Amino acid sequence: MTPEQLRDVVRTAVAAAVDRGALSVEVPGEVVVERPKNPEHGDYATNVALRLAKPAGLPPREVAERIAEELRAHPGIASVDIAGPGFLNITLAQGALGRIAVQAVTAGEGYGHTAVLAGQKLNLEFVSANPTGPVHIGGTRWAAVGDALARLLETSGAEVTREYYLNDAGAQIDRFARSLLAVAHGREVPADGYAGSYIGEIAAQVLAAEPGLLDRPEDEQLQVFRKRGVELMVAEIRSSLAAFGVHFDVFFSETTLHQSGALEKAVARLREQGHVYEADGAVWLRTTDFGDDKDRVLVKADGEPTYFAADCAYYLDKRARGFDRVVIMLGADHSGYVGRYKALVAAAGDDPDEHLEILIGQLVNLLRNGEPVRMSKRAGTVVLLDDLVEAIGVDAARYALARASVDQQIDIDIDLWTRRTNDNPVFYVQYAHARISSVLRNAADLGLALGEAADVDASLLTHERENDLLRAIGEFPRVISSAAELRAPHRVARYLEELAGTYHRFYDACRVLPRGDEEATPLTTARLWLCAATAVVLRNGLGVLGVSAPERM
RNA sequence: GCGCCCGUAGCUCAGCGGAUAGAGCAGGUGCCUUCUAAGCACUUGGUCGCAGGUUCGAGUCCUGCCGGGCGCGCCA
């Protein structure tokens, strides 16, 4: 019996107690069944009696007793104890717990998939690093976390579009183009330009693709460097992300918004809603009506639209494409945008709490020799996605970035990571998978197969370490769904570390395969299923994080 | 000054209002003629920044302080 099934059993028990007049309460739609930390508190515990005590007008322990009477009648439940203030501690019948292993193996890749977010169509925008340079380590964090979140949401039944907003218009692209032009002519880059070594490489590639370019008028050259340069930069960004295992469904060009007249339409729509005014020669959006600190300029006095105007158009474009919810991941250095963004959604007539979700993640600090590394794109002193991958590999990089809460700043000590010590928990988790794979290979060599699900006697799994493992495996679907709902992929990583530890302890205490000339027993088969189930969960969980599950290490 | 994030073991960090606050690393002691020792067992280590409040119950929610990070342009 899975925790989800038990939850229904508990709810049904409450309903039964109400039916026979033992309780006069409204049956709750959801009841909480959780795994107690203390094994003496049974396989599962529920606080439903504590919740119902007040509405029932009875002491919590009395409510618990009346529910317990119903639960004890269930064949899958061995015992129910009332503990503490009124918790119901439930121990499952022998075999009911063991079936979890069979269910996990049978479900395979589908184990952990739920429908809790079914029917939601959402747009997840992340990374969106400017195409004026390679993806640096900050963007890499959002690549790892954003992609994991996308997989998590999909696993929970949502329809997700991964989107990357390309800021390929505006002054910074001008600076980028002028930097390319300067380098191509052997001149110093402008003071406000970009100076990384990649600028020279991109410039050379542009010249290779456009022979004779330097003989044309300089303003024409600038246009070519701008167009070709951005194309090449975007190609490099996509290639880095692809090597990192991150693929976007849509690369959305800001320029297309300018060219299609979407900005003017957006301003017009906001004007119709009555939130636009003119002052000091500029066009403003009255975002203060919706909680922003100050009003924002849409069109500058010189007639140029602001970046914010493009944001408005972009948001409206996403909504027009049919997304129920627009999710944007931003770094903490952009946290000031939340107010104006929420306000623009409200000004457009949408609900800022329902249609827009902005996830702010804290920044990644780099330490070298224990000292923070100052990062500057201009000076070229940045650590790039490619550098991180080269130093520690995709698996370790993705795992390390995804295992911390996004609310937490990460300090990455470059020397530590480049040293390749086993401080990285990803090895611990992957090792558990490799170990299981080895056991299953050895079993196959001995001619032992899992066989049919119906033939497994799961009630033989009675060892405490086996029960621990079964309970952990049973948690997986809810770990996935709650991590998806909370937008917290790091929970999956933490869970996998626990699961790996639980498996290692099982492995240490419980021999799976027969030794020497011993015969395989039904317990051997049951334990093989337990191993296979653990491997399924490790694979699926690592898959959510975009980390490989090696069969050998 | 205002807004957001953080403050939990020596270090890095988990902990969606539940029971005795956890993991890894670091320190100590043991376990490989037996399925992968990148492992396991035992052990050392805590005023959950401080002070109030909410309630059956607070590391978790609210308020105020203290300390650290980030942000507050007709830049992008």
Side-chain angles (χ1 to χ4, degrees):
Chain A
M1 190 183 324
T2 65
E4 287 70 31
Q5 292 164 336
L6 179 60
R7 199 170 54 198
D8 290 338
V9 169
V10 171
R11 203 171 154 272
T12 305
V14 173
V18 170
D19 282 348
R20 70 179 167 91
L23 292 174
S24 70
V25 293
E26 193 177 328
V27 179
E30 286 286 308
V31 300
V32 177
V33 169
E34 59 185 11
R35 194 164 57 129
K37 292 174 199 159
N38 188 333
E40 289 171 17
H41 295 151
D43 291 326
Y44 294 99
T46 176
N47 64 355
V48 67
L50 292 164
R51 299 274 181 196
L52 295 178
K54 193 164 277 183
L58 290 170
R61 292 187 64 102
E62 180 59 33
V63 175
E65 182 49 49
R66 296 181 186 194
I67 297 169
E69 285 169 24
E70 301 294 336
L71 285 173
R72 290 188 182 112
H74 193 282
I77 291 174
S79 68
V80 180
D81 292 322
I82 296 161
F87 288 104
L88 285 163
N89 292 336
I90 299 166
T91 301
L92 297 184
Q94 209 56 260
L97 192 60
R99 294 309 290 180
I100 288 173
V102 177
Q103 291 175 5
V105 174
T106 304
E109 284 181 20
Y111 187 62
H113 283 249
T114 66
V116 296
L117 301 181
Q120 285 196 26
K121 185 177 175 189
L122 39 90
N123 182 286
L124 180 64
E125 181 197 331
F126 58 108
V127 184
S128 296
N130 289 335
T132 53
V135 179
H136 58 78
I137 189 129
T140 308
R141 182 176 193 176
W142 313 132
V145 174
D147 188 54
L149 180 57
R151 294 172 193 231
L152 211 41
L153 295 166
E154 287 169 339
T155 303
S156 301
E159 187 186 325
V160 181
T161 293
R162 294 165 173 78
E163 190 148 327
Y164 188 120
Y165 185 46
L166 275 175
N167 297 116
D168 54 3
Q172 65 195 334
I173 297 293
D174 290 334
R175 290 202 284 270
F176 175 63
R178 285 200 304 274
S179 301
L180 293 174
L181 179 71
V183 168
H185 286 271
R187 304 195 292 253
E188 287 283 309
V189 296
D192 62 353
Y194 296 91
S197 60
Y198 67 93
I199 291 289
E201 293 160 21
I202 297 278
Q205 287 178 58
V206 173
L207 290 177
E210 299 272 350
L213 175 62
L214 297 183
D215 302 327
R216 291 152 69 179
E218 195 146 305
D219 59 339
E220 209 174 292
Q221 290 180 35
L222 193 61
Q223 292 310 312
V224 173
F225 275 115
R226 168 201 284 269
K227 183 166 180 299
R228 290 277 191 177
V230 169
E231 282 170 7
L232 289 163
M233 203 66 250
V234 170
E236 188 178 323
I237 289 169
R238 294 178 71 141
S239 152
S240 292
L241 290 168
F244 199 54
V246 176
H247 302 272
F248 286 87
D249 302 301
V250 176
F251 276 82
F252 193 96
S253 158
E254 181 190 351
T255 302
T256 62
L257 289 172
H258 293 269
Q259 291 171 344
S260 68
L263 270 71
E264 289 76 7
K265 276 186 222 156
V267 173
R269 165 152 174 194
L270 293 166
R271 196 186 295 274
E272 282 165 27
Q273 303 273 340
H275 307 300
V276 171
Y277 66 94
E278 265 100 53
D280 304 325
V283 179
W284 298 71
L285 182 64
R286 202 184 309 277
T287 53
T288 50
D289 279 355
F290 305 99
D292 196 10
D293 300 336
K294 48 170 295 190
D295 290 340
R296 305 292 169 178
V297 172
L298 291 167
V299 182
K300 296 187 272 183
D302 64 7
E304 287 296 308
T306 59
Y307 187 88
F308 181 59
D311 279 344
C312 295
Y314 186 31
Y315 169 76
L316 291 171
D317 183 276
K318 283 176 178 170
R319 292 281 288 138
R321 281 186 275 150
F323 295 105
D324 308 319
R325 193 175 273 256
V326 171
V327 186
I328 307 174
M329 303 185 72
L330 295 175
D333 52 342
H334 289 73
S335 60
Y337 296 179
V338 175
R340 77 192 66 168
Y341 225 122
K342 288 279 183 188
L344 98 78
V345 171
D350 280 353
D351 180 348
D353 293 323
E354 186 191 337
H355 298 115
L356 176 69
E357 196 175 324
I358 299 183
L359 307 175
I360 297 295
Q362 299 301 309
L363 304 178
V364 182
N365 293 311
L366 288 170
L367 304 180
R368 197 191 296 278
N369 302 322
E371 294 294 316
V373 177
R374 286 261 172 265
M375 294 211 294
S376 159
K377 262 193 190 177
R378 279 216 57 238
T381 57
V382 288
V383 175
L384 308 176
L385 185 160
D386 296 343
D387 298 335
L388 186 65
V389 168
E390 187 185 345
I392 64 177
V394 171
D395 283 347
R398 288 192 65 144
Y399 193 93
L401 291 167
R403 90 182 275 271
S405 156
V406 293
D407 288 338
Q408 193 70 237
Q409 284 183 31
I410 310 182
D411 289 328
I412 293 183
D413 186 319
I414 295 172
D415 303 307
L416 178 72
W417 288 100
T418 50
R419 240 185 286 134
R420 286 201 80 131
T421 64
N422 59 3
D423 292 357
N424 193 331
V426 71
F427 292 125
Y428 185 76
V429 177
Q430 289 183 316
Y431 179 62
H433 187 265
R435 208 177 208 189
I436 295 170
S437 300
S438 175
V439 171
L440 296 176
R441 270 196 306 273
N442 293 341
D445 290 346
L446 292 171
L448 301 174
L450 290 178
E452 295 298 318
D455 299 336
V456 187
D457 186 354
S459 69
L460 297 172
L461 299 173
T462 57
H463 193 283
E464 198 46 45
R465 296 287 92 79
E466 293 169 335
N467 287 335
D468 289 343
L469 194 48
L470 287 164
R471 281 188 288 262
I473 291 167
E475 285 301 294
F476 185 61
R478 81 166 70 190
V479 167
I480 292 291
S481 56
S482 76
E485 288 175 316
L486 295 166
R487 320 301 195 221
H490 75 280
R491 283 170 178 265
V492 176
R494 302 300 177 144
Y495 163 81
L496 290 174
E497 289 165 29
E498 266 186 51
L499 177 66
T502 306
Y503 180 79
H504 289 312
R505 285 186 284 278
F506 155 79
Y507 177 90
D508 193 62
C510 300
R511 175 81 197 187
V512 177
L513 299 175
R515 316 164 193 246
D517 50 6
E518 290 174 1
E519 288 295 314
T521 65
L523 178 60
T524 305
T525 305
R527 284 181 171 168
L528 281 173
W529 277 80
L530 184 54
C531 288
T534 309
V536 162
V537 176
L538 288 170
R539 267 199 300 279
N540 293 358
L542 286 170
V544 163
L545 300 175
V547 174
S548 72
E551 302 204 342
R552 285 188 170 83
M553 288 177 78

